[in-house]
Amino acid sequence: MTFVQIVECRTDQVDALNSLMDTWVEQTQGRRTATHSIVGTDRDNMRHVVEIVEFPSYEEAMRNSDLPETDRIFREMVALCDEPPTFTNLDVVRDEQLNKELAMRFFAVANGPDDVMIDSFVAADYHDHDPGAPMQSQSREDLKRQMEMWRGAFDFTMNVEDMMAEGDQVCCRWSLRGKHTGEFMGLPATDKVVEVTGTTMMRFKDGMLAESWWQWDNAGMLRQLGLIKM
């Protein structure tokens, strides 16, 4: 079970605390068990500093505490604070990565016949960056037309193979398999089956998909359709 530790203190020396964290990260490389750390200051009281540290489990957190560097850095941290830091230890019972859920919803809609749901999670000024696409989406309505064009040309299914999230961005590695059932780039339906792989980086803002960057095997698909020969 994922374990999270919240450390709170009050100090005027936030920069010094950050420097201590840099030292600890450098000195514990290859041995620390913490997987994620966030340090923030209270907007209503800049002297109130909160650090949130994530571990794979409570046991791994205890291993991290036993590192000599952790003990030394903690003692130096205490010296910078007005009073000893307080600790809150949490066993995580629910962890929702909401942008990843929205990314999965995008691919579910791409596979389906109905674009109505797009309005609920794609920004009106959505923008595509796709050098391999016949046209670029400059809005949510453009995206709907783009999806309609692809569905009119192929009976396809997209599968998400891997997904990683960082900040406001989600990176998806996907595969597509489909039959060429309608006109595409001037080529009438061939009933050929194509298989394509690609990667999409999505940026979210205020809970909405705002922008996407696509890299996919466009040449491979055209070769499978017989539009180019290599």
Side-chain angles (χ1 to χ4, degrees):
M1 178 184 294
T2 301
F3 175 78
V4 173
Q5 192 167 66
I6 301 175
V7 186
E8 298 182 71
C9 69
R10 283 170 171 75
T11 181
D12 289 322
Q13 304 185 65
V14 177
D15 290 341
L17 282 178
N18 271 328
S19 180
L20 278 179
M21 176 59 69
D22 292 338
T23 300
W24 178 78
V25 168
E26 179 181 352
Q27 293 182 355
T28 59
Q29 186 170 356
R31 293 179 296 119
R32 65 177 176 271
T33 60
T35 57
H36 192 188
S37 176
I38 298 174
V39 178
T41 54
D42 189 337
R43 292 182 66 91
D44 296 325
N45 181 0
M46 296 299 289
R47 301 183 71 258
H48 180 200
V49 180
V50 179
E51 180 182 7
I52 304 171
V53 189
E54 181 179 305
F55 302 88
S57 66
Y58 172 78
E59 290 73 21
E60 292 298 320
M62 294 304 97
R63 284 183 52 205
N64 197 82
S65 296
D66 289 339
L67 294 173
E69 294 85 359
T70 300
D71 180 63
R72 180 178 60 80
I73 292 296
F74 175 71
R75 284 187 277 109
E76 293 184 28
M77 174 183 174
V78 170
L80 294 173
C81 298
D82 299 347
E83 55 191 29
T86 62
F87 292 81
T88 302
N89 298 319
L90 303 176
D91 288 323
V92 177
V93 296
R94 179 166 177 166
D95 180 9
E96 294 284 355
Q97 299 193 44
L98 300 179
N99 286 342
K100 291 176 70 172
E101 292 297 322
L102 292 177
M104 288 298 297
R105 190 184 302 179
F106 175 90
F107 287 98
V109 170
N111 286 332
D114 192 354
D115 294 335
V116 173
M117 286 182 58
I118 286 180
D119 293 353
S120 67
F121 69 92
V122 175
D125 58 352
Y126 169 83
H127 186 68
D128 253 345
H129 306 273
D130 186 353
M135 65 179 185
Q136 301 294 305
S137 297
Q138 303 291 329
S139 68
R140 183 169 60 206
E141 295 307 312
D142 279 352
L143 177 62
K144 292 179 181 179
R145 286 188 285 270
Q146 183 91 304
M147 286 187 169
E148 184 179 355
M149 182 273 293
W150 282 102
R151 292 197 193 111
F154 296 93
D155 179 10
F156 67 86
T157 300
M158 298 182 78
N159 293 308
V160 177
E161 308 294 345
D162 287 301
M163 182 180 290
M164 298 179 65
E166 182 72 23
D168 63 355
Q169 296 186 329
V170 177
C171 183
C172 306
R173 183 177 67 85
W174 51 266
S175 61
L176 177 149
R177 190 175 192 275
K179 179 184 288 189
H180 180 210
T181 57
E183 182 178 332
F184 179 72
M185 296 180 64
L187 178 68
T190 63
D191 286 333
K192 291 182 178 179
V193 174
V194 298
E195 295 184 354
V196 182
T197 59
T199 302
T200 305
M201 179 70 76
M202 299 177 172
R203 181 177 67 84
F204 293 87
K205 182 179 179 182
D206 300 330
M208 303 288 279
L209 177 59
E211 201 168 8
S212 297
W213 291 262
W214 298 76
Q215 295 292 332
W216 54 285
D217 188 12
N218 176 263
M221 185 189 72
L222 297 179
R223 184 170 59 251
Q224 292 174 66
L225 291 174
L227 287 172
I228 62 174
K229 299 185 182 297
M230 297 178 64

